[in-house]
C-alpha cells in the first residue's frame, strides 16, 4: 500500500488483540499503528470503530478498509476513493481468493464459489443497475456516510451488516469492477473450516435478521434496489443451496409418486436445472482457468465436506468472532 500513498493520505493499522509482530512490522513499514487490547469486546467491528475514532479529529474525504493479508494493484486505492467520493456511497472492490499453486479439491471449489459470490453475482446486479453487498475488504466510504453508522459491534459478518444498514439508510454499496483485491486461502483445513463456518453461519443469521427488514423498507420507501439486495442476500452458500435442493426434490418426488401429482416436483426439477445452467455458465465465462471441468463435477464431494458446518448451525450456531490463523 505504501507506494500508492500521496502526501495527504494516512495509512492506519489497527493491531487488534494481536500477540504477534503486527504492530512492529506495520510501524517499520511507515504506518500509524493503534494497538487495541480488549478481551471482552472482540471482533472486526470494534477494531474498525477504534481506527475511525483516530480519524475523527481530522476526517478525510474517504476511508478505505482493507484486511492486512490482502493485495491490491497499483492505482487501486485512489480509484476506490475517487469512486466513493463521486458516488457518495460505499464502493466495493471485487474481492477474490488467490488460487494456490497446487490446489486441493476443496480449495479449487472454494475459489470458484467465492468468485461466483463476489464477482459474478455483484457484476450481474451492477449491470442491472442494482447495488451489491459488502464483502469485508476493498471497501471505500465517503467519510460523511461512514460517520452515520456505529461500527462497534460483535457481528461475525460485520461487513455484510454494515452494507445492509447503509442500504436501508439510502446509501447502498456499489461495485467497482475495475479494482480487484486478492486474499490468500487459509494455510490448513482447520483454519479454512473456521473461516467458512464464521462466514456461512453469519450469512444465515443475516438472512433471518435482515430479509424482513429489507422487504419492509423496500415497500414503504418504494425502493426496488432493496428488493434486489433481499434476493441476493437470500441465496444461501452454494453447497447449502445444493443440499437444500436435493432434500426438497427428493421429498417432493416421494410425495408425487404416492399421490400422482407432479407439478410441485417439476417446479423443483426446473429450479435444479436453472441452478445447473447458472453454475456451468459462470464457470465457462469466469473460472475455466481456476477449476477444471473434471474438478467441477466433484462438487458433491465438497458438499459432503460442508455438511458438518450446517449441522453445527442447527445445533450451535457460531456467534463469536474468531480470527483466522494466517501464515506469515
Amino acid at each position: 500500500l505504501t507506494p500508492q500513498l500521496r502526501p495527504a493520505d494516512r495509512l492506519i493499522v489497527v493491531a487488534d488483540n494481536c500477540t504477534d509482530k503486527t504492530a512492529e512490522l506495520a510501524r517499520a513499514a511507515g504506518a500509524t499503528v493503534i494497538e487495541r487490547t480488549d478481551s471482552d469486546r472482540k471482533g472486526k467491528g470494534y477494531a474498525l470503530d477504534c481506527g475511525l475514532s483516530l480519524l475523527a479529529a481530522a476526517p478525510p474525504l474517504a476511508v478505505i478498509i482493507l484486511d492486512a493479508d490482502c493485495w491490491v494493484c497499483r492505482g487501486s486505492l485512489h480509484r476506490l476513493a475517487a469512486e466513493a467520493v463521486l458516488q457518495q456511497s460505499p464502493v466495493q472492490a471485487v474481492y477474490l481468493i488467490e488460487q494456490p499453486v497446487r490446489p486441493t479439491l476443496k480449495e479449487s471449489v472454494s475459489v470458484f464459489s467465492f468468485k461466483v459470490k463476489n464477482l459474478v453475482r455483484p457484476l450481474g446486479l451492477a449491470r442491472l443497475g442494482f447495488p451489491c453487498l459488502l464483502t469485508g475488504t476493498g471497501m471505500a466510504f465517503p467519510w460523511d456516510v461512514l460517520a452515520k453508522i456505529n461500527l462497534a459491534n460483535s457481528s461475525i459478518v460485520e461487513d455484510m451488516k454494515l452494507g445492509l444498514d447503509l442500504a436501508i439508510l439510502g446509501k447502498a454499496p456499489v461495485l467497482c469492477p475495475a479494482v480487484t483485491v486478492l486474499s490468500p486461502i487459509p494455510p490448513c483445513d482447520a483454519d479454512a473450516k473456521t473461516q467458512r463456518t464464521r462466514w456461512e453461519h453469519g450469512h444465515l443469521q443475516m438472512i433471518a435478521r435482515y430479509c424482513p427488514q429489507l422487504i419492509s423498507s423496500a415497500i414503504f420507501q418504494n425502493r426496488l434496489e432493496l428488493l434486489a439486495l433481499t434476493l441476493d442476500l437470500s441465496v444461501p452458500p452454494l453447497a447449502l443451496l445444493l443440499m437444500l435442493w436435493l432434500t426438497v426434490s427428493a421429498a417432493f418426488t416421494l410425495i408425487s409418486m404416492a399421490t400422482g401429482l407432479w407439478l410441485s416436483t417439476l417446479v423443483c426439477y426446473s429450479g435444479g436445472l436453472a441452478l445447473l445452467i447458472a453454475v456451468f455458465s459462470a464457470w465457462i465465462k469466469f473460472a475455466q482457468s481456476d477449476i477444471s471441468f473434471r474438478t467441477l463435477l466433484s462438487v458433491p464431494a465438497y458438499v459432503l465436506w460442508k455438511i458438518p458446518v450446517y449441522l453445527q448451525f442447527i445445533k450451535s450456531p457460531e456467534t463469536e468472532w474468531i480470527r483466522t490463523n494466517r501464515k506469515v
Side-chain angles (χ1 to χ4, degrees):
L1 298 178
T2 309
Q4 299 191 44
L5 301 179
R6 296 175 183 176
D9 296 338
R10 284 172 284 177
L11 175 59
I12 297 173
V13 172
V14 182
D16 188 68
N17 289 298
C18 287
T19 56
D20 55 17
K21 294 184 178 181
T22 294
E24 178 185 336
L25 294 173
R27 286 194 185 97
T32 299
V33 179
I34 306 172
E35 295 188 70
R36 176 183 176 274
T37 303
D38 189 332
S39 59
D40 296 323
R41 291 157 57 89
K42 293 190 294 184
K44 187 174 173 181
Y46 292 117
L48 294 177
D49 181 69
C50 180
L52 292 181
S53 297
L54 177 66
L55 290 175
L61 287 175
V63 176
I64 298 173
I65 296 174
L66 287 160
D67 286 347
D69 63 340
C70 292
W71 295 88
V72 291
C73 296
R74 183 177 295 273
S76 297
L77 295 185
H78 286 276
R79 179 67 179 266
L80 283 173
E83 285 292 320
V85 173
L86 178 66
Q87 301 275 355
Q88 280 302 296
S89 288
V91 173
Q92 174 63 60
V94 176
Y95 171 35
L96 302 176
I97 291 179
E98 190 175 23
Q99 178 81 284
V101 177
R102 296 182 183 86
T104 64
L105 167 64
K106 286 183 284 189
E107 289 172 339
S108 293
V109 178
S110 290
V111 169
F112 172 62
S113 61
F114 212 75
K115 181 171 280 189
V116 171
K117 181 178 181 293
N118 286 0
L119 171 61
V120 180
R121 283 165 48 189
L123 189 60
L125 286 168
R127 289 181 177 176
L128 292 171
F130 292 126
C132 64
L133 299 170
L134 291 178
T135 54
T137 186
M139 308 178 292
F141 305 84
W143 173 263
D144 292 341
V145 171
L146 199 55
K148 296 177 181 178
I149 295 291
N150 179 19
L151 292 174
N153 65 79
S154 57
S155 172
I156 58 176
V157 280
E158 76 298 321
D159 49 341
M160 190 177 290
K161 180 183 185 304
L162 174 60
L164 295 171
D165 287 338
L166 288 171
I168 292 170
L169 290 176
K171 295 294 182 179
V174 295
L175 183 69
C176 181
V179 176
T180 298
V181 177
L182 285 175
S183 178
I185 205 160
C188 70
D189 273 359
D191 294 331
K193 186 175 181 181
T194 297
Q195 184 184 66
R196 299 299 298 187
T197 299
R198 174 166 59 85
W199 284 346
E200 298 189 14
H201 284 200
H203 185 179
L204 295 175
Q205 291 165 18
M206 288 295 105
I207 291 174
R209 177 178 175 182
Y210 273 93
C211 280
Q213 189 176 353
L214 285 168
I215 293 171
S216 174
S217 297
I219 294 172
F220 288 106
Q221 297 179 27
N222 193 26
R223 294 173 57 198
L224 183 60
E225 71 269 20
L226 290 184
L227 286 179
L229 270 184
T230 304
L231 290 173
D232 191 34
L233 176 65
S234 299
V235 178
L238 182 60
L240 179 58
L241 185 60
L242 287 171
M243 289 166 56
L244 290 173
W245 177 78
L246 287 170
T247 302
V248 172
S249 295
F252 273 112
T253 299
L254 292 175
I255 293 171
S256 296
M257 291 172 66
T259 63
L261 302 174
W262 287 88
L263 179 59
S264 298
T265 305
L266 291 175
V267 170
C268 282
Y269 291 170
S270 299
L273 179 61
L275 175 60
L276 181 64
I277 292 172
V279 170
F280 188 65
S281 299
W283 173 74
I284 290 176
K285 178 69 175 178
F286 296 97
Q288 289 191 66
S289 61
D290 299 328
I291 180 172
S292 68
F293 182 68
R294 182 177 178 180
T295 304
L296 188 66
L297 294 178
S298 302
V299 166
Y302 177 79
V303 172
L304 292 176
W305 175 69
K306 299 294 285 293
I307 288 176
V309 172
Y310 303 124
L311 291 178
Q312 182 184 339
F313 179 77
I314 297 172
K315 181 181 178 181
S316 177
E318 187 67 66
T319 58
E320 183 179 355
W321 199 93
I322 300 174
R323 187 195 313 274
T324 303
N325 291 324
R326 295 296 186 186
K327 181 172 61 176
V328 178

